Amino acid sequence: MHECHSTVVIAGSRDGQSAMSGTLPHFLQEPDDAYIVKSNPIKLRCRARPALQIFFKCNGEWVHQNQHTSLEHIELGTGLKIREVMINVSRQQVEDFHGPEDYWCLCVAWSHLGTAKSRKATVRIAYLRKNFEQEPQGMEVPINGMIVLHCRPPEGVPAAEVEWLKNEELVHSLEDINIDTRADHNLIINEARLSDSGNYTCLASNIVARRRSATAMVIVFVNGGWSSWTDWSECNVRCGRGVQKRTRTCTNPAPLNGGAFCEGMSVQKSTCTSPCPVDGGWSEWTMWSECTSECERQRTRECTDPEPKHGGRLCDGAALDTDNCTGDLCIQDRKLLHDVKVPQADVESSNDVALYSGLAAGVVTVVVLVIAVTLYRRNQSEYGVDVIDSSALTGGFQSFSFKSARQGNPLLMNSSMQPDLTVSRTYTSPICFPDSMEKELIPEPALFDPLPDLKVKVHSSFMVSLGVSERAEYHAKAPSQTFPRGVVQEIGGGGGTLGGRGKSQLTSIQPALISSMTNGKRALRTSGVFGHGGGRLVVPNAGVSLLVPHGAIEEDTTWELYMSITQQDSSALSDEAQEILLSPEVTYGPPGLTLSCPVALTVAHCADVNSEDWNIKLKRQTQDNSWEEVMILEEESTSCYCLLDTQCCHLLVERPGCYALVGEALSQAAGKRLRLAAFGNMEPNFLNYSIRVYCVDDTPHAFQEVVSVERGRGGRLLEEPKTLLFRANSFSLQVSIQDIPQFLWSIKPFTTCQEFSFSQVWCSSQSPLQCAFSLERYSPAANQLSCKISVRQVKGHEQILQVYTTIAESEKDTVPFFTQSDCTITSQTGSRAFKIPQSIRQRICATFDTANAKGKDWQLLAQKLHIDRNLGYFARQTSPSAVILSLWEAQHQEQGDLDSLASALEEIGKVQSKQSTSADTLDRISKTIPSSDSTLNRSSEELDANHT
């Protein structure tokens, strides 16, 4: 029974399969609409069950069988045959088709019963035009008004999707019910708020590309509103007709972002009348009263003729008069009246004598106490004085004293020297200590501005010696330390070198960064002492640094390296070519410096590197002060290497000298960055306010010149500096002042707009351009100024500097908005100057300097670190990997970390990346690199010391 039952089931299953195979084909997958991106062909797929054959038909014609790719398998559940067919459609096929409709394809499947057709799938070439059909326009909207920014994206297939950016951040309409981005790609803000001010950009994208519209600046302004009137003042006269007034201010609300000032008068006056005072006068005396038992009679009068009014004086004299009604013959207690009154007068006179005697005794007591206290204080002041002449510590500095001896003073290289406790030390220069110093040794503030008369006498066993005329001898050791800004080691022994056992002196230089004149040009100079361990030298606030790799200087040899910056009256520009200076002229030396590998010199520049319309060159000054071309950035060179970033250029050079980056614009699309800044201060007459607008090449050193000039003028930074892209289209630069409050400030006619010619801006050679606006206030009471300054290139970009400042009564009491610290570490030596520990660096070089079977040589390392140009320069180096890592160190000296290096090594083919700490990152690098020495156990501590 069981076997018979099984046979029936199997037979039934076969009958079911036969019935299924006798049906029309059913499509499990039909071809989908597709878009061809660039020149990449697309693949159309069909899958049907049951199907003996499947063929594609495109535009009414059968596709050749050779162009089909077929796959066939049996479905496990039903045993039916499933067939899948694929074809490729190329861009050329679509372009060659000329029909009334789009290129289309469908599938036709056959079974034993008949055929079935799939849906039509269209194939189109995807594209996105460059130009927007409508771009958003900037606008100024009152607060609570409606903002409507229109955007019609470029034509494209498929249709572009639109997003909005505000200050380069995506606008999320779902998170803010006040914003609507659904209506025809437009951005609608129903009620404008102050926070809605900003730069808006329409972003259109599809599967091909992404396009950005021009930026539209939206300013939400607030029109001024009057506050309530104050109460009427008192009449300005005490008697008669006068004037009284009341005031209101434009602070409800105050005008913001160029909003209109309040219309109307801020002061209202009215006539008033003050009643004149009336002095009082006596009326007539009344009749004498009857004689009393004391033999007296009385009469009175009143101050009513007239009564005193409105502050008038009261009547002089007594209102009551008494008289003896018996002619002094009336007797009281058996005595005449006048005899009784005499003893009373004697008693009153004796009381007066006692009163005056008590007062005199009190005065004498007070005088004695004052004398005693004075003598006591003089006696106490002769003890416990540690600081002499403390009156010299002015400007907010407090006196201080050292009470106990300190050990291990890092300023004294030979701590065994006994201090002279009687010598007065004079501070004549800014004090700047490295991190390793005991900070409690110096009181707040730790930085002394140069005060020529400041003398502090210290009685202590701790010797401080920072005077220029006094020096402390020390024995030079291997330079693995950090030198503070302003401390320059003078090298003994000639030749610019210092042997491992030589001597040198530690001196204090004022100012810390030396400004000098070189060939008629202003220069900024800094220096440091470097040895075999290498290090880094930085010019603060200038965007210039020098990286000396480990081992570049021979062992037991020390060099004093220096860098200087010169950026005026440049002679590096060619007379034939239309070249401009894109960076300051940077010199490093000394000239006789010999190195075993290149150093990395980082220099800031102002070129718009996003444009390919530049011909940028690196030039070097020769011994006869002429300039020679070292390399063109887009060409191969074996003498030096240049890596151009957005704001700086990293150079690998071997010869000391003066270098500069110059550029020649190949088209009008080439551009350079300008930094714009507005400063202001009151003029000496306290009625005129001067606003100065600077346009300077966007490099840190060029802007420092502006800061230095404004410091001397006492200027205030009125707005955060902004960047403007200036194109080589031969159009001028216009600077205009707008929205000045008409009722508070005035400006001379025809001075609201000033202009710089194209050549002035384009060929400025990093020199600051300045224009000034002089505003006059109608009243000294006007202590607020709001306006905006427009800086725009004709037929180019525009930037707005919004000014809203309070005018102080005394400009000497104001504090500038910009502060620059004069205490900056300019050199680091040894392992602390590098991000990559030396042990890890050696292992990377040992791994990648030699090619292996897997091809993981230094060229692959350079590729993963995005250094894929001019590789011939690294091929001629003794250790190409070491030079590549030096370039990586220079490129990532500020924001980089070892994670990016570890990720690059992992991509070459070792371990999976993970987010980790510094120690974990070292572990990732160690696992990625085969061990080549025995220093791995020490490298973790070295990394922690470098990155703690």
Side-chain angles (χ1 to χ4, degrees):
M1 288 293 292
H2 178 71
E3 293 179 359
C4 180
H5 178 72
S6 299
T7 304
V8 170
V9 172
I10 293 172
S13 174
R14 290 176 179 175
D15 293 342
Q17 292 179 7
S18 176
M20 291 287 291
S21 63
T23 62
L24 289 175
H26 171 67
F27 284 98
L28 302 177
Q29 180 180 357
E30 295 183 274
D32 296 324
D33 295 337
Y35 299 95
I36 295 180
V37 179
K38 296 183 179 179
S39 298
N40 301 320
I42 56 97
K43 193 180 294 294
L44 297 179
R45 300 173 183 268
C46 265
R47 190 166 71 245
R49 178 192 65 191
L52 298 176
Q53 289 293 338
I54 300 177
F55 287 99
F56 272 91
K57 178 183 278 189
C58 293
N59 305 315
E61 297 180 359
W62 293 103
V63 179
H64 196 276
Q65 183 177 359
N66 295 336
Q67 299 179 11
H68 290 73
T69 302
S70 299
L71 298 175
E72 183 179 307
H73 65 275
I74 305 299
E75 190 176 37
L76 296 178
T78 62
L80 297 178
K81 184 181 294 185
I82 298 178
R83 181 176 293 273
E84 182 177 357
V85 176
M86 295 169 288
I87 65 170
N88 290 331
V89 179
S90 66
R91 182 186 183 100
Q92 188 66 36
Q93 290 176 272
V94 177
E95 289 178 345
D96 291 343
F97 173 69
H98 301 284
E101 55 185 355
D102 294 329
Y103 190 100
W104 60 269
C105 293
L106 58 79
C107 295
V108 181
W110 280 267
S111 69
H112 291 289
L113 192 60
T115 62
K117 294 183 179 181
S118 70
R119 65 179 294 273
K120 282 186 178 182
T122 60
V123 180
R124 306 176 67 184
I125 298 176
Y127 66 92
L128 185 62
R129 305 289 186 199
K130 289 187 177 181
N131 298 325
F132 280 73
E133 296 183 4
Q134 183 179 8
E135 292 186 305
Q137 301 295 322
M139 58 189 311
E140 297 182 0
V141 182
I143 194 168
N144 298 327
M146 177 178 286
I147 300 174
V148 179
L149 295 177
H150 298 279
C151 178
R152 293 174 59 189
E155 178 187 352
V157 173
E161 297 180 356
V162 171
E163 294 176 311
W164 285 90
L165 300 178
K166 175 191 174 186
N167 298 331
E168 300 304 323
E169 294 184 1
L170 196 62
V171 175
H172 300 284
S173 59
L174 298 179
E175 299 177 0
D176 192 343
I177 60 175
N178 192 37
I179 299 178
D180 183 10
T181 58
R182 296 169 296 177
D184 296 330
H185 307 307
N186 298 329
L187 174 65
I188 300 176
I189 302 178
N190 298 314
E191 293 186 2
R193 302 154 296 191
L194 288 176
S195 59
D196 293 325
S197 297
N199 295 322
Y200 288 84
T201 307
C202 182
L203 190 65
S205 60
N206 64 3
I207 60 176
V208 179
R210 173 176 294 187
R211 309 294 186 204
R212 292 170 58 101
S213 70
T215 299
M217 177 176 291
V218 174
I219 298 176
V220 180
F221 62 86
V222 178
N223 292 325
W226 290 114
S227 65
S228 300
W229 288 104
T230 61
D231 295 333
W232 287 103
S233 65
E234 295 183 356
C235 203
N236 63 342
V237 295
R238 295 187 57 189
C239 175
R241 185 181 181 87
V243 176
Q244 61 182 164
K245 64 180 180 179
R246 60 178 182 176
T247 60
R248 59 179 179 175
T249 57
C250 189
T251 56
N252 187 33
L256 288 176
N257 296 337
F261 201 77
C262 302
E263 296 183 0
M265 303 300 296
S266 61
V267 179
Q268 194 175 51
K269 297 181 180 180
S270 175
T271 59
C272 57
T273 302
S274 295
C276 296
V278 177
D279 296 337
W282 292 114
S283 62
E284 296 292 336
W285 288 103
T286 61
M287 299 296 294
W288 286 105
S289 64
E290 294 182 358
C291 192
T292 64
S293 59
E294 286 84 9
C295 303
E296 288 183 343
R297 60 179 181 176
Q298 299 178 344
R299 62 178 181 176
T300 60
R301 57 180 178 176
E302 295 180 352
C303 189
T304 58
D305 189 21
E307 293 184 3
K309 296 179 181 179
H310 312 305
R313 292 179 298 178
L314 297 176
C315 301
D316 294 333
L320 175 65
D321 185 25
T322 59
D323 186 36
N324 190 289
C325 54
T326 61
D328 293 338
L329 297 178
C330 184
I331 299 177
Q332 285 186 352
D333 297 333
R334 297 180 181 179
K335 293 184 179 178
L336 292 175
L337 186 60
H338 65 275
D339 294 334
V340 176
K341 294 180 179 178
V342 170
Q344 182 178 357
D346 295 338
V347 173
E348 293 178 355
S349 62
S350 63
N351 290 338
D352 292 341
V353 172
L355 175 63
Y356 289 121
S357 300
L359 290 175
V363 171
V364 172
T365 303
V366 171
V367 171
V368 171
L369 287 175
V370 170
I371 295 174
V373 170
T374 302
L375 293 177
Y376 176 78
R377 293 184 65 179
R378 288 184 178 180
N379 187 39
Q380 292 297 321
S381 65
E382 296 177 1
Y383 304 97
V385 178
D386 287 323
V387 180
I388 299 176
D389 195 14
S390 61
S391 62
L393 297 175
T394 59
F397 296 106
Q398 298 178 357
S399 60
F400 60 95
S401 60
F402 298 101
K403 290 295 184 180
S404 61
R406 301 282 200 264
Q407 295 180 357
N409 176 17
L411 287 181
L412 301 178
M413 295 302 177
N414 189 354
S415 58
S416 62
M417 298 174 60
Q418 295 299 321
D420 184 0
L421 304 182
T422 62
V423 178
S424 299
R425 304 299 179 191
T426 303
Y427 296 82
T428 59
S429 64
I431 303 174
C432 178
F433 295 93
D435 296 338
S436 61
M437 294 193 60
E438 298 183 58
K439 296 183 179 180
E440 70 273 10
L441 301 183
I442 301 299
E444 289 290 331
L447 295 176
F448 285 86
D449 289 333
L451 301 178
D453 298 328
L454 177 60
K455 295 183 179 180
V456 182
K457 182 177 291 186
V458 180
H459 297 276
S460 168
S461 61
F462 171 66
M463 187 176 88
V464 179
S465 178
L466 290 176
V468 175
S469 59
E470 299 181 57
R471 301 175 179 176
E473 297 272 334
Y474 75 99
H475 296 284
K477 299 179 181 179
S480 179
Q481 56 201 2
T482 300
F483 295 94
R485 172 178 175 177
V487 177
V488 178
Q489 291 189 337
E490 296 180 353
I491 308 302
T497 63
L498 177 65
R501 298 183 178 181
K503 291 187 178 182
S504 181
Q505 294 178 329
L506 180 67
T507 62
S508 176
I509 304 297
Q510 181 181 4
L513 291 176
I514 307 171
S515 295
S516 61
M517 297 294 293
T518 305
N519 296 330
K521 307 177 184 179
R522 288 186 300 168
L524 192 65
R525 176 188 168 104
T526 184
S527 62
V529 177
F530 298 88
H532 184 71
R536 194 187 303 271
L537 187 63
V538 178
V539 180
N541 303 322
V544 176
S545 64
L546 181 69
L547 180 73
V548 182
H550 178 89
I553 300 176
E554 297 179 359
E555 290 184 311
D556 300 328
T557 303
T558 305
W559 283 90
E560 182 188 30
L561 303 186
Y562 67 85
M563 279 195 304
S564 63
I565 302 176
T566 306
Q567 67 172 39
Q568 291 208 352
D569 302 325
S570 175
S571 57
L573 306 179
S574 172
D575 295 332
E576 296 82 14
Q578 299 295 323
E579 295 177 347
I580 64 170
L581 194 64
L582 299 177
S583 73
E585 299 175 9
V586 179
T587 304
Y588 90 92
L593 178 65
T594 56
L595 300 171
S596 61
C597 62
V599 296
L601 179 64
T602 299
V603 182
H605 68 82
C606 63
D608 177 27
V609 296
N610 296 324
S611 172
E612 298 179 355
D613 300 281
W614 278 106
N615 181 24
I616 300 179
K617 305 175 183 178
L618 178 67
K619 290 190 174 184
R620 178 175 55 218
Q621 192 174 26
T622 59
Q623 294 182 354
D624 58 352
N625 292 331
S626 60
W627 288 82
E628 63 179 2
E629 181 179 306
V630 179
M631 68 173 297
I632 299 177
L633 265 61
E634 296 299 323
E635 298 179 359
E636 299 287 327
S637 174
T638 57
S639 60
C640 68
Y641 188 92
C642 178
L643 179 62
L644 193 65
D645 281 346
T646 305
Q647 295 184 338
C648 59
C649 180
H650 308 286
L651 304 173
L652 293 176
V653 293
E654 302 175 11
R655 293 174 53 188
C658 182
Y659 293 87
L661 211 62
V662 300
E664 178 184 1
L666 301 180
S667 71
Q668 294 186 357
K672 72 173 184 176
R673 303 185 312 275
L674 299 178
R675 186 175 298 188
L676 314 175
F679 295 81
N681 66 302
M682 287 295 297
E683 294 182 5
N685 59 7
F686 290 101
L687 286 179
N688 292 356
Y689 191 85
S690 176
I691 297 179
R692 296 173 295 279
V693 182
Y694 291 88
C695 305
V696 65
D697 288 358
D698 187 23
T699 60
H701 185 214
F703 186 69
Q704 287 306 308
E705 286 204 348
V706 176
V707 173
S708 177
V709 170
E710 285 300 321
R711 273 181 172 172
R713 293 183 175 180
R716 294 165 55 93
L717 186 62
L718 303 179
E719 166 71 306
E720 195 72 18
K722 295 185 178 181
T723 302
L724 176 70
L725 184 60
F726 190 82
R727 297 289 186 187
N729 55 11
S730 70
F731 289 102
S732 60
L733 186 72
Q734 294 179 347
V735 183
S736 60
I737 186 169
Q738 305 168 8
D739 296 348
I740 302 172
Q742 298 180 358
F743 299 98
L744 297 178
W745 296 85
S746 66
I747 188 171
K748 294 181 180 180
F750 310 109
T751 61
T752 57
C753 183
Q754 303 182 33
E755 189 169 1
F756 295 112
S757 66
F758 172 80
S759 59
Q760 284 181 290
V761 182
W762 189 252
C763 306
S764 60
S765 299
Q766 308 245 322
S767 301
L769 300 175
Q770 173 196 344
C771 63
F773 301 96
S774 181
L775 306 180
E776 181 179 3
R777 53 180 174 178
Y778 291 111
S779 170
N783 60 353
Q784 291 183 341
L785 172 61
S786 64
C787 63
K788 66 180 181 181
I789 298 172
S790 169
V791 183
R792 61 180 292 267
Q793 185 183 16
V794 178
K795 297 185 178 181
H797 294 266
E798 180 183 20
Q799 276 287 11
I800 299 295
L801 300 176
Q802 189 67 47
V803 175
Y804 188 82
T805 184
T806 300
I807 310 302
E809 289 297 326
S810 176
E811 286 293 321
K812 293 184 296 183
D813 298 333
T814 61
V815 179
F817 290 159
F818 59 92
T819 56
Q820 300 282 337
S821 174
D822 284 334
C823 184
T824 305
I825 295 176
T826 60
S827 65
Q828 283 186 319
T829 60
S831 61
R832 298 179 64 89
F834 303 97
K835 294 183 179 296
I836 308 175
Q838 181 59 23
S839 58
I840 297 297
R841 185 186 181 96
Q842 291 175 352
R843 294 179 56 191
I844 294 176
C845 296
T847 302
F848 293 99
D849 277 346
T850 304
N852 51 45
K854 296 182 180 180
K856 295 175 183 178
D857 57 359
W858 61 267
Q859 296 184 8
L860 186 57
L861 175 66
Q863 178 185 354
K864 295 302 180 182
L865 294 179
H866 309 290
I867 303 172
D868 52 3
R869 187 182 55 81
N870 195 12
L871 297 182
Y873 174 82
F874 301 102
R876 58 179 291 270
Q877 303 296 328
T878 304
S879 175
S881 301
V883 179
I884 292 173
L885 293 179
S886 297
L887 185 60
W888 183 92
E889 287 266 6
Q891 188 179 12
H892 298 82
Q893 59 182 324
E894 295 182 358
Q895 73 279 7
D897 54 21
L898 289 176
D899 275 339
S900 61
L901 179 59
S903 299
L905 296 176
E906 288 167 358
E907 288 180 11
I908 296 178
K910 282 297 178 180
V911 298
Q912 298 294 328
S913 61
K914 60 182 180 179
Q915 295 296 328
S916 58
T917 60
S918 295
D920 294 333
T921 303
L922 174 62
D923 185 63
R924 292 166 56 195
I925 300 177
S926 301
K927 291 178 180 178
T928 305
I929 311 168
S931 179
S932 60
D933 56 28
S934 60
T935 61
L936 178 60
N937 295 331
R938 299 193 305 271
S939 58
S940 177
E941 298 178 359
E942 186 177 354
L943 178 64
D944 288 337
N946 198 41
H947 292 279
T948 301

